[in-house]
């Protein structure tokens, strides 16, 4: 940015030069203020040249007039400045005429000389403003070569000020030739009107008006100065004629050229407006995609963009359900200048127009084809475009026009771009929604897994009577297996193992319910007369658990479970099976392995009083060294590469091979065999394995 103080000095110099010029004009033929009459010609030309040079340099050092595409702002600013300067000229002339009407006009009139000198200064101011406004427009997106040419033009124009000061006269042919060359240079520069192409239709009308105004202001000044030069009564010093003529010629010619170019560009303004509307519509669609708007907003943006850009007389967008919203109601269609009856008449014909392979259709003579007959008003052209991706049909867009041949291939290309962009945005929206749903499901599963993990007992019961080893592995994030222990008074231990139908969050919820029922039912009954009646036996436990689950378990869900109540003092245990896997048992005295095959129906299958008849209570006296293996169906139903199941027989053989080991070693032995059996395959089902081994040496009661 130029230093203001330096630019202000130019105004001071211009003021001094103009004052000298004024005194010189007043001194034409007489002495003024003691100054000699008839000042030297070179001095007055130097004063005039110094004033012009200062004013032009000051205008040149001002900030660039054009910012961005503010062409109208440049013209408007020049117009208002020209209007003020011209108004000043008109006021001076009116004052002179008023004065002339009262006194006799004589050569060397001071008022006329002052009016002329002020008017000349105003004209130079107008020329400077005009020249550098035109420079801003010429330089719009100009090359370095053009900017150098403009600088050369300025230097040559400034050189004409100096040529007037040299004492000898150039030959006429050289003066005329140089003037013509510089004029042609100005004509060449006037051809750079690129900025006109960036004006809209309304801006072009404004530009024409403003350029006419600037041209009129210049002509008013030129008309006055031309008259003054031929006025015999006006005694004024000679002017920098070459500079003023060339600067005026360029200012006027550029204004005329700009006016003509703007006029000739008016017919293509509509095309420019249409292209700009297309670009804005595409930008709007792109912004909607980036902002991730809803499907109705995307449909509305497409509909509005297509109608405005193509300038359709009527339109219809029949949107379809989104892939993730198939159960919802159909979205309301978007219609422009069409009634419900029109939509009902068009709907049956659309399916036939767009086959599986064809996604767009144009009919530019509807009267001949008789398509879309029966509408409330006749249309001559139609364009139909399907909003279709390889996996989903998002709807159809119909545009209608009154004129024949209303849609050309370029319109179809634009609409195709719009619909492709819309389908892309809708699919992006679907992906974003699916990602959100997936993330929410993952969060829920993670919480459910955390809840289920906390439901598994972290500390195994320890006693001198038995050893316990456990193992649990879920097939998915959240499984359906569960187990729990509870020490009861009187040297008794309650053991519960089960399997909830289903997986995931629901399974974790039912596991929590079953754990709560287990702890609630195993609370001591204060009304029991005998100590052993304080807690329900396994059969009673299953009946009460089934009754409790009846109120909180879905009809499609059930739970299999086995409940064991081990009594160390009695040296035995009782148990009941509710549809769960049979208990595998090693009898140390008989030295044999067998299953407790008892009847039992899963919890939640029967939800009335008859359930108790389908569960049995069984008793067994254990011996030191006996081993009880409790598991879920993921153990015997584990599969190998051939699809064979692990089976209960192999499980029993494994126990026969390892019964003498500790509970933990038995657990590891069986588990290792199961894993080797299904090696390389994903876990088929949740696996839970509990091993209880009664110690060979039982404590004395």
């Amino acid at each position: 940015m130029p230093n203001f103080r330096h630019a202000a000095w130019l105004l001071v110099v211009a003021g001094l030069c103009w004052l000298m010029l004024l005194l010189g004009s007043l001194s034409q033929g007489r002495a003024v203020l003691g100054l000699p009459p008839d000042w030297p010609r070179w001095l007055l030309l130097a004063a005039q040249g110094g004033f012009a040079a200062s004013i032009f340099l000051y205008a040149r050092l001002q900030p660039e007039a054009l910012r961005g595409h503010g062409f109208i702002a440049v013209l408007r600013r020049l117009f208002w400045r020209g209007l003020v300067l011209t108004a000043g000229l008109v006021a001076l002339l009116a004052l002179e005429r008023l004065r002339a009407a009262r006194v006799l006009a004589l050569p060397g009139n001071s008022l006329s000389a002052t009016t002329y000198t002020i008017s000349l200064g105003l004209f130079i101011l107008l020329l400077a403003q005009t020249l550098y406004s035109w420079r801003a427009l010429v330089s719009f997106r100009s090359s370095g070569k053009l900017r150098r040419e403009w600088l050369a033009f300025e230097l040559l124009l400034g050189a004409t000020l100096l040529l007037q000061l040299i004492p000898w006269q150039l030959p006429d042919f050289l003066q005329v030739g140089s003037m013509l060359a510089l004029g042609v240079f100005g004509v060449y520069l006037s051809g750079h009107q690129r900025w006109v192409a960036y004006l809209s239709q309304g801006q072009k009308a404004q530009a024409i008006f403003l350029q006419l105004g600037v041209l009129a202001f210049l002509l008013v000044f030129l008309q006055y100065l031309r008259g003054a030069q031929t006025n015999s009564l006006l005694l004024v010093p000679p002017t920098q004629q070459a500079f003023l003529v060339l600067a005026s010629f360029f200012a006027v010619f550029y204004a005329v050229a700009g006016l003509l170019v703007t006029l000739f560009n008016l017919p293509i303004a509509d095309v420019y407006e249409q292209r700009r509307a297309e670009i804005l519509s595409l930008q709007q669609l792109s912004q909607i995609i980036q902002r991730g708007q809803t499907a109705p907003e995307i449909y509305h943006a497409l509909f509005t963009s297509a109608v405005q850009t193509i300038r359709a007389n009527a339109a219809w967008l029949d949107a379809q359900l989104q892939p993730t919203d198939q159960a919802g109601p159909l979205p309301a269609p978007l219609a422009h200048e069409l009634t419900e009856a029109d939509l009902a008449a068009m709907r049956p014909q659309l399916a036939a127009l767009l086959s599986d392979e064809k996604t767009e259709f144009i009919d530019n003579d509807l009267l001949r084809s008789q398509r879309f007959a029966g509408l409330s008003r006749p249309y001559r052209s139609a364009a139909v475009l399907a909003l279709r991706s390889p996996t989903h049909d998002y709807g159809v867009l119909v545009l209608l026009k009154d004129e024949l041949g209303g849609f050309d291939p370029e319109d179809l290309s634009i609409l195709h771009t719009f619909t492709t962009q819309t389908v892309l945005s809708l699919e992006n929206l679907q992906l974003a929604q699916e990602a959100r749903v997936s993330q929410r499901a993952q969060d829920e599963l993670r919480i459910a897994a955390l809840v289920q993990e906390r439901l598994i007992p972290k500390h195994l019961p320890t006693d001198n009577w038995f050893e316990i080893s456990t193992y649990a592995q879920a097939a998915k994030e959240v499984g359906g297996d569960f187990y729990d222990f509870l020490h009861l008074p009187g040297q008794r231990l309650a053991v519960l193992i089960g399997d909830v139908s289903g997986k995931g969050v629901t399974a974790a919820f039912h596991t929590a319910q079953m754990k709560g029922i287990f702890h609630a039912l195993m609370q001591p009954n204060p009304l029991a007369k005998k100590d052993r009646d304080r807690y329900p036996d396994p059969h009673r436990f299953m009946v009460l658990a089934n009754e409790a689950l009846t109120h909180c378990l879905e009809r499609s869900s059930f739970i299999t479970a086995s409940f064991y109540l081990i009594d160390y003092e009695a040296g035995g245990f009782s148990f009941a099976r509710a549809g769960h896997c049979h208990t595998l048992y090693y009898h140390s005295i008989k030295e044999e392995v067998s299953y407790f095959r008892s009847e039992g129906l899963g919890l939640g299958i029967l939800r009335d009083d008859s359930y108790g008849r389908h569960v049995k209570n069984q008793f067994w006296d254990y011996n030191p060294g006996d081993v009880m293996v409790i598991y879920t169906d993921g153990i015997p139903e584990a599969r190998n590469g051939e699809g064979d199941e692990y089976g209960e027989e192999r499980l029993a053989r494994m126990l026969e091979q390892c019964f003498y080991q500790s509970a933990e070693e038995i657990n590891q032995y069986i588990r290792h065999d199961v894993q080797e059996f299904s090696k390389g395959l994903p876990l088929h089902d949740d696996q839970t394995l509990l091993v209880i081994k009664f110690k060979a040496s039982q404590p004395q009661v």
Side-chain angles (χ1 to χ4, degrees):
M1 183 175 179
N3 191 320
F4 173 76
R5 289 178 298 179
H6 295 170
W9 274 111
L10 292 173
L11 293 181
V12 174
V13 173
L16 293 174
C17 291
W18 183 85
L19 185 59
M20 184 180 294
L21 185 62
L22 176 62
L23 293 175
S25 299
L26 295 175
S27 301
Q28 290 292 311
R30 66 182 183 278
V32 177
L33 300 177
L35 297 175
D38 300 328
W39 290 17
R41 172 188 174 85
W42 65 268
L43 182 59
L44 295 176
L45 287 175
Q48 193 177 123
F51 173 77
S54 301
I55 293 298
F56 273 71
L57 283 174
Y58 178 80
R60 193 179 194 281
L61 293 177
Q62 297 309 300
E64 186 65 39
L66 179 62
R67 295 184 179 180
H69 288 189
F71 314 111
I72 298 301
V74 173
L75 293 175
R76 188 180 294 115
R77 190 159 47 245
L78 177 61
F79 174 85
W80 286 112
R81 290 176 179 176
L83 179 62
V84 171
L85 294 174
T86 306
L89 172 64
V90 173
L92 288 172
L93 294 179
L95 180 62
E96 183 183 2
R97 287 177 177 261
L98 183 62
R99 174 70 175 171
R102 297 183 178 180
V103 299
L104 182 62
L106 294 173
N109 184 278
S110 299
L111 180 60
S112 297
T114 303
T115 300
Y116 170 80
T117 307
I118 294 175
S119 301
L120 182 62
L122 296 178
F123 180 59
I124 292 175
L125 284 173
L126 178 59
L127 275 181
Q129 294 296 324
T130 306
L131 187 73
Y132 286 103
S133 295
W134 294 165
R135 183 191 68 168
L137 299 178
V138 170
S139 303
F140 174 68
R141 296 190 177 181
S142 62
S143 62
K145 174 175 175 292
L146 181 60
R147 287 193 291 272
R148 290 191 297 272
E149 290 171 348
W150 177 269
L151 179 60
F153 178 72
E154 286 183 292
L155 293 175
L156 292 174
L157 201 60
T160 59
L161 292 173
L162 299 176
L163 288 176
Q164 294 290 320
L165 302 179
I166 60 177
W168 64 88
Q169 293 292 323
L170 294 175
D172 291 342
F173 74 92
L174 192 57
Q175 290 188 31
V176 175
S178 60
M179 292 280 286
L180 287 175
L182 201 50
V184 171
F185 199 0
V187 171
Y188 162 73
L189 293 175
S190 299
H192 293 82
Q193 306 278 352
R194 183 178 298 176
W195 57 278
V196 177
Y198 291 84
L199 298 178
S200 64
Q201 191 170 16
Q203 289 175 327
K204 286 180 179 176
Q206 294 181 54
I208 291 173
F209 170 78
L210 294 173
Q211 288 178 102
L212 281 173
V214 172
L215 192 59
F217 302 147
L218 290 170
L219 293 177
V220 168
F221 270 100
L222 290 173
Q223 180 64 25
Y224 164 73
L225 292 175
R226 180 174 175 276
Q229 292 294 324
T230 59
N231 187 355
S232 59
L233 298 179
L234 180 63
L235 300 178
V236 292
T239 61
Q240 288 279 0
Q241 191 169 3
F243 172 80
L244 294 177
V245 168
L246 288 171
S248 302
F249 173 75
F250 175 75
V252 172
F253 194 87
Y254 191 87
V256 173
L259 194 61
L260 295 176
V261 171
T262 306
L263 283 171
F264 286 124
N265 274 275
L266 273 178
I268 64 173
D270 288 345
V271 178
Y272 177 79
E273 291 288 332
Q274 184 175 358
R275 291 291 173 252
R276 190 170 67 168
E278 293 166 7
I279 294 172
L280 291 176
S281 299
L282 282 175
Q283 287 179 342
Q284 185 181 9
L285 286 175
S286 301
Q287 289 171 356
I288 288 176
I289 291 174
Q290 293 172 359
R291 292 199 304 267
Q293 300 289 336
T294 62
E297 289 175 325
I298 295 174
Y299 280 126
H300 187 268
L302 166 67
F303 188 72
T304 305
S305 302
V307 172
Q308 291 181 351
T309 304
I310 303 301
R311 299 184 180 181
N313 299 108
W316 176 34
L317 198 159
D318 190 17
Q320 299 297 318
L321 286 173
Q322 305 304 303
T324 57
D325 195 25
Q326 291 296 318
L330 276 172
L334 299 174
H336 172 62
E337 299 294 338
L338 290 174
T339 64
E340 288 293 334
D342 294 334
L343 304 186
M346 295 170 63
R347 188 170 280 115
Q349 304 182 52
L350 289 178
L353 292 177
L354 297 174
S355 62
D356 293 339
E357 296 79 14
K358 196 171 184 179
T359 58
E360 53 199 26
F361 172 81
I362 284 183
D363 188 341
N364 279 322
D365 194 351
L366 291 177
L367 294 181
R368 188 179 63 180
S369 64
Q370 292 299 306
R371 290 190 178 94
F372 299 133
L375 301 183
S376 57
R377 52 175 290 196
Y379 296 98
R380 303 291 296 275
S381 305
V384 182
L385 294 100
L387 308 178
R388 188 179 296 164
S389 73
T391 58
H392 188 70
D393 188 359
Y394 290 96
V396 61
L397 174 66
V398 181
L399 298 168
L400 299 169
K401 283 188 176 181
D402 292 335
E403 65 266 25
L404 184 68
F407 297 95
D408 54 28
E410 192 172 355
D411 292 333
L412 187 61
S413 174
I414 295 168
L415 292 172
H416 182 70
T417 302
F418 283 2
T419 54
T420 302
Q421 193 84 349
T422 300
V423 170
L424 177 63
S425 65
L426 290 171
E427 291 200 322
N428 286 343
L429 185 64
Q430 293 298 318
L431 291 175
Q433 291 177 347
E434 291 173 2
R436 285 195 291 270
V437 171
S438 176
Q439 183 62 43
R440 186 163 55 246
Q442 290 295 327
D443 293 341
E444 292 175 350
L445 285 175
R446 189 166 57 253
I447 294 172
L450 182 62
V451 170
Q452 193 175 51
E453 182 186 354
R454 292 182 178 179
L455 293 177
I456 299 298
K458 297 295 183 297
H459 302 288
L460 299 178
T462 57
D463 209 304
N464 294 327
W465 302 83
F466 56 85
E467 300 171 359
I468 290 182
S469 175
T470 63
Y471 163 75
Q473 178 65 49
K476 296 182 178 179
E477 291 84 352
V478 182
D481 290 358
F482 66 91
Y483 63 89
D484 203 357
F485 304 95
L486 195 62
H487 263 302
L488 302 178
Q491 296 181 323
R492 283 183 290 178
L493 175 69
V495 180
L496 178 68
I497 186 172
D499 186 0
V500 177
S501 63
K503 300 288 185 295
V505 178
T506 303
F509 178 70
H510 293 326
T511 300
Q513 287 179 318
M514 195 62 204
K515 186 180 180 74
I517 291 172
F518 173 62
H519 283 264
L521 293 179
M522 297 315 293
Q523 295 299 313
N525 181 3
L527 301 179
K529 295 181 179 179
K530 297 181 180 179
D531 184 58
R532 294 196 173 276
D533 295 334
R534 287 181 180 276
Y535 301 96
D537 60 25
H539 176 271
R540 180 64 178 165
F541 173 85
M542 290 298 183
V543 171
L544 294 175
N546 185 72
E547 183 179 348
L549 289 172
T550 300
H551 302 289
C552 56
L553 202 64
E554 296 89 354
R555 281 288 180 183
S556 59
S557 300
F558 64 91
I559 297 175
T560 67
S562 288
F563 178 72
Y564 304 86
L565 194 59
I566 302 173
D567 190 333
Y568 312 136
E569 290 183 355
F573 60 88
S574 58
F575 67 96
R577 186 178 74 91
H580 199 69
C581 300
H582 299 295
T583 304
L584 180 62
Y585 197 82
Y586 170 73
H587 194 286
S588 60
I589 296 179
K590 297 181 180 179
E591 295 184 349
E592 65 178 18
V593 172
S594 61
Y595 284 96
F596 293 146
R597 298 191 181 277
S598 58
E599 296 180 357
L601 192 63
L603 300 169
I605 297 176
L606 284 179
R607 306 194 174 197
D608 52 29
D609 296 338
S610 65
Y611 178 77
R613 297 197 297 270
H614 299 277
V615 178
K616 292 184 178 180
N617 208 18
Q618 297 193 40
F619 302 91
W620 187 263
D621 293 331
Y622 68 82
N623 298 294
D626 285 4
V627 179
M628 184 163 57
V629 177
I630 308 170
Y631 53 91
T632 58
D633 56 1
I635 298 292
E637 293 179 2
R639 297 176 183 274
N640 60 13
E642 287 73 30
D644 301 326
E645 289 189 351
Y646 186 79
E648 289 184 337
E649 293 183 2
R650 182 161 177 165
L651 180 62
R653 288 199 302 274
M654 290 301 104
L655 182 59
E656 289 175 351
Q657 297 172 9
C658 65
F659 66 88
Y660 56 88
Q661 299 181 10
S662 66
E664 179 61 26
E665 290 171 341
I666 294 172
N667 194 321
Q668 291 182 3
Y669 189 84
I670 296 175
R671 191 170 69 211
H672 175 72
D673 188 61
V674 174
Q675 292 171 350
E676 284 295 317
F677 179 78
S678 56
K679 188 175 183 179
L681 297 176
L683 205 59
H684 176 67
D685 197 0
D686 304 337
Q687 294 180 348
T688 300
L689 181 65
L690 274 64
V691 177
I692 301 175
K693 184 172 184 177
F694 299 99
K695 291 185 177 179
S697 177
Q698 296 282 299
Q700 295 295 325
V701 179

